[in-house]
Amino acid sequence: MNKHKLVSWIIAILLIFLAGWSVVYVKHAEKINSEKIAKEEKKQQLQKKEDKNANMRYPIKWRKSSQTTKYPNVFDDKNLWIKISQKKQRLYVMSGKKQRYQMYVSLGTHAAGYSNESKKVFPTGTFKISDKRGEFYYNQVTGNGGRYWISWKGNGKYVIQSVPTNEHGKYLVANAQSLGSQVDTNNSIWLSVRDAKWFYKNINGGTKLVIE
């Protein structure tokens, strides 16, 4: 066998090997992808079941209350605290270990407008609701604002508020429609309009806030 034929054979063998490896890789990738899809579907089904048991409004209405039931009376609740799940994009009004109400939220990274913080993630841990609050604000850096805002960190830098507005107080519908899913919320935790108003009027400064 001359040198030219030997090289041709080696190339052919390599091509056959690469073709076989490609088939195996594609099948492996398809398996992993299908497992991810199945896992996500199961997660969504469990969340829907949980939401149904909690009388959650579905589809989500960003102007209305998250639940179809009345808001709880929390004025005399000495065990009141707030829990927020980034994974589920939910806020829970808690009394000790008992859940009294559940709300849809949106919260995510806070990169927009803050180039030096582009790689940071949304804060987690234990905080306290502040007395610093107001009925409307607008941030020229991020290009949006919100109604019924309450600070929980950074003296007004991090707030719980309604879905976002423009500088005139008009709600940004495209953003509001993402309520309940993780989006970039620029240091804010978004609630529906009605939930935000209730939260603003009923959750006092000093209330414990846990973000997971």
Side-chain angles (χ1 to χ4, degrees):
M1 182 180 292
N2 60 40
K3 186 176 180 180
H4 179 71
K5 287 185 177 180
L6 179 61
V7 171
S8 297
W9 273 103
I10 292 173
I11 292 173
I13 291 170
L14 285 173
L15 289 173
I16 292 171
F17 172 77
L18 289 172
W21 180 84
S22 297
V23 171
V24 172
Y25 176 80
V26 169
K27 287 185 177 180
H28 179 66
E30 288 177 344
K31 182 181 178 182
I32 292 176
N33 189 48
S34 63
E35 288 175 350
K36 285 183 178 179
I37 292 173
K39 186 176 180 180
E40 184 61 29
E41 287 178 347
K42 185 177 180 180
K43 178 183 172 182
Q44 291 176 357
Q45 289 173 358
L46 289 172
Q47 186 63 61
K48 284 182 179 180
K49 184 177 180 180
E50 179 183 320
D51 289 346
K52 184 177 180 181
N53 292 338
N55 299 305
M56 298 298 283
R57 192 183 301 279
Y58 192 83
I60 299 172
K61 302 292 185 182
W62 58 267
R63 288 185 180 274
K64 297 184 177 182
S65 60
S66 292
Q67 289 189 200
T68 55
T69 52
K70 291 182 179 180
Y71 291 111
N73 184 346
V74 297
F75 286 112
D76 298 324
D77 193 338
K78 296 180 180 180
N79 298 311
L80 182 70
W81 63 287
I82 306 299
K83 180 173 71 173
I84 295 177
S85 170
Q86 289 194 75
K87 184 178 180 180
K88 295 184 177 181
Q89 296 290 301
R90 299 288 187 273
L91 180 150
Y92 304 93
V93 179
M94 305 293 295
S95 178
K97 295 182 179 181
K98 182 181 179 182
Q99 178 182 312
R100 300 196 62 187
Y101 202 85
Q102 184 179 161
M103 298 176 180
Y104 293 114
V105 300
S106 280
L107 67 153
T109 57
H110 50 288
Y114 299 93
S115 58
N116 61 326
E117 297 181 346
S118 60
K119 294 183 179 180
K120 288 188 177 182
V121 296
F122 205 89
T124 58
T126 301
F127 309 91
K128 280 189 177 181
I129 299 295
S130 172
D131 285 320
K132 189 178 181 67
R133 59 186 67 201
E135 294 194 359
F136 175 72
Y137 82 98
Y138 178 73
N139 188 329
Q140 292 183 341
V141 177
T142 61
N144 58 51
R147 294 187 178 277
Y148 311 116
W149 63 271
I150 303 177
S151 177
W152 53 272
K153 185 178 185 293
N155 195 32
K157 183 177 180 181
Y158 296 85
V159 299
I160 296 174
Q161 62 168 75
S162 70
V163 289
T165 69
N166 62 18
E167 66 271 29
H168 304 296
K170 300 289 186 180
Y171 293 108
L172 302 176
V173 177
N175 299 81
Q177 288 175 339
S178 66
L179 184 66
S181 59
Q182 186 170 4
V183 294
D184 190 338
T185 57
N186 300 319
N187 302 345
S188 303
I189 297 170
W190 298 347
L191 299 174
S192 75
V193 177
R194 192 166 181 187
D195 286 348
K197 187 174 183 179
W198 179 88
F199 199 91
Y200 175 80
K201 290 185 174 181
N202 290 272
I203 304 301
N204 295 325
T207 303
K208 183 173 77 170
L209 168 67
V210 177
I211 301 177
E212 302 174 339

